[in-house]
Amino acid sequence: MRIVLDIWRQRGPRDPGRFVRYEVPDVSEHMSFLEMLDVLNVGLVERGDDPVAFDSDCREGICGMCGFLVNGDPHGPTHHATICQTHMRHFADGDTLRLEPWRAAAFPVIKDLVVDRSAFDRIIAAGGYVTIRTGSAPEANAILVPKTDADRAMEAAACIGCGACVAACPNASAALFTGAKISHLGLLPQGQPERARRAVTMAVQAREEGFGHCTSIGECAAVCPASIQLEVIARMNRDFVKATLTGRDEAAPVAVFPRRGPAGGGG
Ligand code: FES
């Protein structure tokens, strides 16, 4: 099949950027989307042109490195799948696809379809350490975890940190990501000692990175390739309010979420 691509080309953070049209003939329906871009890039390199920059690593939907907008959809039209796991059979011969990077102030464009997602790393780092006894591996049944809690914790831990939730949200909110990271520890006995402090420091860091408010639109959960549910946001909010009202977090600031406009557009 033949695919026409309008791709956002931006040489660097200061370049204004623009869409450039390319045509990729002879695309197999069995190719993944990224393999199709590999074919495009081979042709560009052979012509002496700059290949299109995009992130990828595992190409198996587990690392969270890949991701960009396809016709405005984070990771393309196949919901709950990463773009590396999206195959060309989902498109038709002659389709014109518009590819652009995540659009959010907290995710500045580095080049073409690559954005800087280190804001997510700083949110994780703000969570700090978990207090555990080190030494030999503990006996497996020493700390019993209810099955429902273990299941919910595992579901939250499935977040791969790709950033699609931010790209889909009209407020460019990172609430789904932050809620998932807070929830997967907060649901387990091992995560209880620092639970209150962690909920506050991570939520505050998300705000400081420039992500917007969650206004419960739900676009994030609709596009999340790991199917993270909105309940993680409710759990984060509950932990946050409890920590600040009960004073269980000694470092909790008084006015954590000053009112401000959306932190960027997207999806
Ligand atoms: S490249 Fe790892 S999730 Fe897509």
Side-chain angles (χ1 to χ4, degrees), residues 34 55-66 82 84 160:
L34 299 190
D55 266 329
S56 73
D57 190 354
C58 71
R59 298 201 176 195
E60 293 180 345
I62 54 178
C63 76
M65 278 299 288
C66 65
T82 55
C84 66
I160 56 176

PDB file of all heavy atoms in Angstrom, residues 34 55-66 82 84 160, ligand 1:
ATOM      1  N   LEU A  34       6.381   1.784  13.202  1.00  0.00           N
ATOM      2  CA  LEU A  34       7.772   2.244  13.288  1.00  0.00           C
ATOM      3  C   LEU A  34       8.628   1.625  12.191  1.00  0.00           C
ATOM      4  O   LEU A  34       9.583   2.255  11.713  1.00  0.00           O
ATOM      5  CB  LEU A  34       8.349   1.938  14.669  1.00  0.00           C
ATOM      6  CG  LEU A  34       7.650   2.606  15.863  1.00  0.00           C
ATOM      7  CD1 LEU A  34       8.465   2.429  17.143  1.00  0.00           C
ATOM      8  CD2 LEU A  34       7.397   4.087  15.610  1.00  0.00           C
ATOM      9  N   ASP A  55      11.398   8.376  18.965  1.00  0.00           N
ATOM     10  CA  ASP A  55      11.892   7.523  20.051  1.00  0.00           C
ATOM     11  C   ASP A  55      11.370   6.106  19.902  1.00  0.00           C
ATOM     12  O   ASP A  55      10.213   5.885  19.534  1.00  0.00           O
ATOM     13  CB  ASP A  55      11.406   8.071  21.405  1.00  0.00           C
ATOM     14  CG  ASP A  55      12.421   8.988  22.055  1.00  0.00           C
ATOM     15  OD1 ASP A  55      13.630   8.770  21.845  1.00  0.00           O
ATOM     16  OD2 ASP A  55      12.002   9.908  22.776  1.00  0.00           O
ATOM     17  N   SER A  56      12.213   5.138  20.240  1.00  0.00           N
ATOM     18  CA  SER A  56      11.757   3.753  20.380  1.00  0.00           C
ATOM     19  C   SER A  56      12.848   2.973  21.091  1.00  0.00           C
ATOM     20  O   SER A  56      14.001   3.384  21.120  1.00  0.00           O
ATOM     21  CB  SER A  56      11.452   3.100  19.024  1.00  0.00           C
ATOM     22  OG  SER A  56      12.637   2.805  18.327  1.00  0.00           O
ATOM     23  N   ASP A  57      12.457   1.860  21.665  1.00  0.00           N
ATOM     24  CA  ASP A  57      13.453   0.997  22.295  1.00  0.00           C
ATOM     25  C   ASP A  57      13.003  -0.457  22.164  1.00  0.00           C
ATOM     26  O   ASP A  57      13.440  -1.176  21.285  1.00  0.00           O
ATOM     27  CB  ASP A  57      13.655   1.391  23.763  1.00  0.00           C
ATOM     28  CG  ASP A  57      14.851   0.697  24.394  1.00  0.00           C
ATOM     29  OD1 ASP A  57      15.454  -0.168  23.730  1.00  0.00           O
ATOM     30  OD2 ASP A  57      15.178   0.986  25.554  1.00  0.00           O
ATOM     31  N   CYS A  58      12.057  -0.885  23.018  1.00  0.00           N
ATOM     32  CA  CYS A  58      11.690  -2.301  23.016  1.00  0.00           C
ATOM     33  C   CYS A  58      10.901  -2.701  21.766  1.00  0.00           C
ATOM     34  O   CYS A  58      11.010  -3.823  21.300  1.00  0.00           O
ATOM     35  CB  CYS A  58      10.871  -2.623  24.264  1.00  0.00           C
ATOM     36  SG  CYS A  58       9.201  -1.911  24.256  1.00  0.00           S
ATOM     37  N   ARG A  59      10.103  -1.807  21.264  1.00  0.00           N
ATOM     38  CA  ARG A  59       9.172  -2.083  20.148  1.00  0.00           C
ATOM     39  C   ARG A  59       8.237  -3.259  20.474  1.00  0.00           C
ATOM     40  O   ARG A  59       7.804  -3.990  19.590  1.00  0.00           O
ATOM     41  CB  ARG A  59       9.920  -2.312  18.836  1.00  0.00           C
ATOM     42  CG  ARG A  59      10.726  -1.087  18.412  1.00  0.00           C
ATOM     43  CD  ARG A  59      11.057  -1.052  16.950  1.00  0.00           C
ATOM     44  NE  ARG A  59      11.744   0.188  16.603  1.00  0.00           N
ATOM     45  CZ  ARG A  59      11.916   0.646  15.377  1.00  0.00           C
ATOM     46  NH1 ARG A  59      11.430  -0.043  14.357  1.00  0.00           N
ATOM     47  NH2 ARG A  59      12.544   1.770  15.141  1.00  0.00           N
ATOM     48  N   GLU A  60       7.990  -3.449  21.736  1.00  0.00           N
ATOM     49  CA  GLU A  60       7.082  -4.514  22.187  1.00  0.00           C
ATOM     50  C   GLU A  60       5.980  -3.980  23.092  1.00  0.00           C
ATOM     51  O   GLU A  60       5.275  -4.741  23.739  1.00  0.00           O
ATOM     52  CB  GLU A  60       7.870  -5.595  22.936  1.00  0.00           C
ATOM     53  CG  GLU A  60       8.827  -6.356  22.047  1.00  0.00           C
ATOM     54  CD  GLU A  60       9.592  -7.427  22.795  1.00  0.00           C
ATOM     55  OE1 GLU A  60       9.595  -7.391  24.047  1.00  0.00           O
ATOM     56  OE2 GLU A  60      10.182  -8.279  22.142  1.00  0.00           O
ATOM     57  N   GLY A  61       5.886  -2.656  23.202  1.00  0.00           N
ATOM     58  CA  GLY A  61       4.813  -2.071  24.006  1.00  0.00           C
ATOM     59  C   GLY A  61       5.055  -2.079  25.495  1.00  0.00           C
ATOM     60  O   GLY A  61       4.110  -1.931  26.274  1.00  0.00           O
ATOM     61  N   ILE A  62       6.320  -2.251  25.926  1.00  0.00           N
ATOM     62  CA  ILE A  62       6.557  -2.350  27.368  1.00  0.00           C
ATOM     63  C   ILE A  62       7.474  -1.277  27.940  1.00  0.00           C
ATOM     64  O   ILE A  62       7.505  -1.086  29.152  1.00  0.00           O
ATOM     65  CB  ILE A  62       7.118  -3.744  27.754  1.00  0.00           C
ATOM     66  CG1 ILE A  62       8.365  -4.069  26.931  1.00  0.00           C
ATOM     67  CG2 ILE A  62       6.075  -4.814  27.604  1.00  0.00           C
ATOM     68  CD1 ILE A  62       8.998  -5.397  27.302  1.00  0.00           C
ATOM     69  N   CYS A  63       8.240  -0.579  27.112  1.00  0.00           N
ATOM     70  CA  CYS A  63       9.222   0.348  27.701  1.00  0.00           C
ATOM     71  C   CYS A  63       8.697   1.781  27.807  1.00  0.00           C
ATOM     72  O   CYS A  63       9.186   2.560  28.624  1.00  0.00           O
ATOM     73  CB  CYS A  63      10.525   0.328  26.910  1.00  0.00           C
ATOM     74  SG  CYS A  63      10.467   1.212  25.335  1.00  0.00           S
ATOM     75  N   GLY A  64       7.742   2.155  26.982  1.00  0.00           N
ATOM     76  CA  GLY A  64       7.175   3.500  27.040  1.00  0.00           C
ATOM     77  C   GLY A  64       7.964   4.548  26.284  1.00  0.00           C
ATOM     78  O   GLY A  64       7.667   5.740  26.373  1.00  0.00           O
ATOM     79  N   MET A  65       8.968   4.145  25.522  1.00  0.00           N
ATOM     80  CA  MET A  65       9.790   5.127  24.819  1.00  0.00           C
ATOM     81  C   MET A  65       9.074   5.749  23.615  1.00  0.00           C
ATOM     82  O   MET A  65       9.260   6.918  23.315  1.00  0.00           O
ATOM     83  CB  MET A  65      11.093   4.480  24.324  1.00  0.00           C
ATOM     84  CG  MET A  65      12.171   4.388  25.372  1.00  0.00           C
ATOM     85  SD  MET A  65      12.668   6.006  25.985  1.00  0.00           S
ATOM     86  CE  MET A  65      13.572   6.644  24.586  1.00  0.00           C
ATOM     87  N   CYS A  66       8.302   4.956  22.890  1.00  0.00           N
ATOM     88  CA  CYS A  66       7.721   5.468  21.652  1.00  0.00           C
ATOM     89  C   CYS A  66       6.481   6.314  21.946  1.00  0.00           C
ATOM     90  O   CYS A  66       5.916   6.248  23.048  1.00  0.00           O
ATOM     91  CB  CYS A  66       7.355   4.317  20.722  1.00  0.00           C
ATOM     92  SG  CYS A  66       6.043   3.267  21.373  1.00  0.00           S
ATOM     93  N   THR A  82       0.471   0.820  21.984  1.00  0.00           N
ATOM     94  CA  THR A  82       1.507   1.810  21.656  1.00  0.00           C
ATOM     95  C   THR A  82       1.678   1.880  20.141  1.00  0.00           C
ATOM     96  O   THR A  82       1.259   0.979  19.415  1.00  0.00           O
ATOM     97  CB  THR A  82       2.844   1.405  22.299  1.00  0.00           C
ATOM     98  OG1 THR A  82       3.145   0.069  21.876  1.00  0.00           O
ATOM     99  CG2 THR A  82       2.776   1.459  23.818  1.00  0.00           C
ATOM    100  N   CYS A  84       4.377   1.494  18.559  1.00  0.00           N
ATOM    101  CA  CYS A  84       5.271   0.423  18.094  1.00  0.00           C
ATOM    102  C   CYS A  84       4.517  -0.890  17.923  1.00  0.00           C
ATOM    103  O   CYS A  84       4.993  -1.796  17.229  1.00  0.00           O
ATOM    104  CB  CYS A  84       6.447   0.247  19.052  1.00  0.00           C
ATOM    105  SG  CYS A  84       6.001  -0.341  20.708  1.00  0.00           S
ATOM    106  N   ILE A 160       3.552   2.662  31.704  1.00  0.00           N
ATOM    107  CA  ILE A 160       4.876   2.635  31.083  1.00  0.00           C
ATOM    108  C   ILE A 160       5.455   4.043  30.919  1.00  0.00           C
ATOM    109  O   ILE A 160       6.544   4.199  30.361  1.00  0.00           O
ATOM    110  CB  ILE A 160       4.859   1.911  29.715  1.00  0.00           C
ATOM    111  CG1 ILE A 160       3.837   2.558  28.755  1.00  0.00           C
ATOM    112  CG2 ILE A 160       4.561   0.424  29.900  1.00  0.00           C
ATOM    113  CD1 ILE A 160       3.829   1.956  27.358  1.00  0.00           C
TER     114      ILE A 160
HETATM  115  S1  FES B   1       9.213   1.176  21.867  1.00  0.00           S
HETATM  116 FE1  FES B   1       8.902   0.370  23.874  1.00  0.00          FE
HETATM  117  S2  FES B   1       6.783   0.734  24.181  1.00  0.00           S
HETATM  118 FE2  FES B   1       7.071   1.316  22.118  1.00  0.00          FE
END
